[in-house]
Amino acid sequence: MVRKLDESLIAPLPPFRRLERTQIREILDQATSRRHDEGSEVFRSGEEADRFFLLLDGVVRVVRILPGGDQVILRHIPPGQLIGIASALGRSTYPASALAASEALTLAWPTRLWAGFVQRYEGFATETWATVGRRLDQLHDDMAAMATQAVEQRVAACVLRMVNQTGRPVEGGIEIAFPITRSNIAEMTGTTLHTVSRLLSAWEKDGVVESRRKHIVVTAPHRLVLLSGASGG
Amino acid sequence: MVRKLDESLIAPLPPFRRLERTQIREILDQATSRRHDEGSEVFRSGEEADRFFLLLDGVVRVVRILPGGDQVILRHIPPGQLIGIASALGRSTYPASALAASEALTLAWPTRLWAGFVQRYEGFATETWATVGRRLDQLHDDMAAMATQAVEQRVAACVLRMVNQTGRPVEGGIEIAFPITRSNIAEMTGTTLHTVSRLLSAWEKDGVVESRRKHIVVTAPHRLVLLSGASGG
DNA sequence: CTCCGAGTTTGTCGCCGCGCAACGTCCCGG
DNA sequence: CCGGGACGTTGCGCGGCGACAAACTCGGAG
């Protein structure tokens, strides 16, 4: 637990954007901070949802494990967002697991503080619901894509989204800012690692992406957009 | 617009469950009621979200139309639920269209009343967020199913869900309580009407369902459960 | 340096399910 | 009673993508 956190770290983030400095101070003083190794669990599906988190740094993967045993990656969360707010939506237990996709830093609060936050800090609630709204929206998009798009388009869209959310400029293109395997992409797009591997190879041959082990650099984003959207080449 | 609505109609519904009679009266007096013919629009994707609705009777289909032109059915809403609450989640326009799958009856309120409802009626907010939570949850399930399940399993699960949500007992089984075509099921499960037709035919031959034009009766629910879940026959 | 395992690539094969097309059937309106 | 249109069924062929298999490469531990 870090004792004195700097307000400026979180003041510009959506949930706190509209709050006063003293209010942010109050909120911060009730938080505990935690470091998560790459691959470790922030929380686990089915556990009692006794805490909610703010992701300060790193990327968190939200995963659901099916009765059948295979897992599905529901989304990646970039820094600055709240996670584990299931309890706010009336669930007593986490509906999915959250894994640190890279080394991650979080703040955590006990769930019982949630109601107070919402009640006391006007903007907090609004911004949070807006975030939930965006997630719902994106989920709908994903569903629609899953239902109608071909595999190549889905994978292209998936890579693009991760670049948009977490991409950092690098020589020759934009890189996805956390370690990601073909398997991971397969679990996001509902296909197999084999197919993803083939697609990336083909794209690399066409000069759209470059990929090293666990790293992907997009060199021609506009080409990827074409691949994801209007099916024409 | 119907002038005097009976509180008992809506008092037991989730959003109003915890409210007092007088409060419900207040809320009702601000509502306008509307009848929707089968197939007509309750609201349209992209329109300004200036109203939210409570579905009193009938079933509403939530549809998203993709840039490509084809449409996807995101969910069916059974009576008693709120719809069009996009504005509450920070969206200024409806993210999807809502069509009456059968003749439907709704209450409508102007969006500007939302904030007041949430603030004034304690339980209203809680119950609403719980509903949103359930929708998110189900969406996650759907995603996961889409990503991992075979077509037959998805279609079986889809039929089952509609039976659970809106099924009514009928001689020889349980019937889905609103008109539904093969195309509709195809648009829900991300396949084609041809495949759905074949599946239903096969199931009918096996005595699991009976289907008339636009109507489906499930005669052996447990068999359908098998088809949807543990792939073993 | 060497070993080992995780991650990746590539090939082959087979099947599911989509596209297309034609026909059958029911319902509704004139 | 008849016609037309929407809905449903069925057959056929092809192709994408998943299953299986085997080899390669990288990186870290000892």
Side-chain angles (χ1 to χ4, degrees), chain A residues 74-91:
Chain A
L74 295 173
R75 50 195 317 268
H76 280 97
I77 300 188
Q81 293 202 11
L82 292 169
I83 55 178
I85 57 176
S87 53
L89 298 170
R91 305 218 136 330

Side-chain angles (χ1 to χ4, degrees), chain A residues 27-42:
Chain A
I27 293 177
L28 268 186
D29 283 344
Q30 297 178 282
T32 60
S33 96
R34 228 170 110 196
R35 206 185 58 81
H36 305 267
D37 289 328
E38 178 176 332
S40 68
E41 277 181 338
V42 178

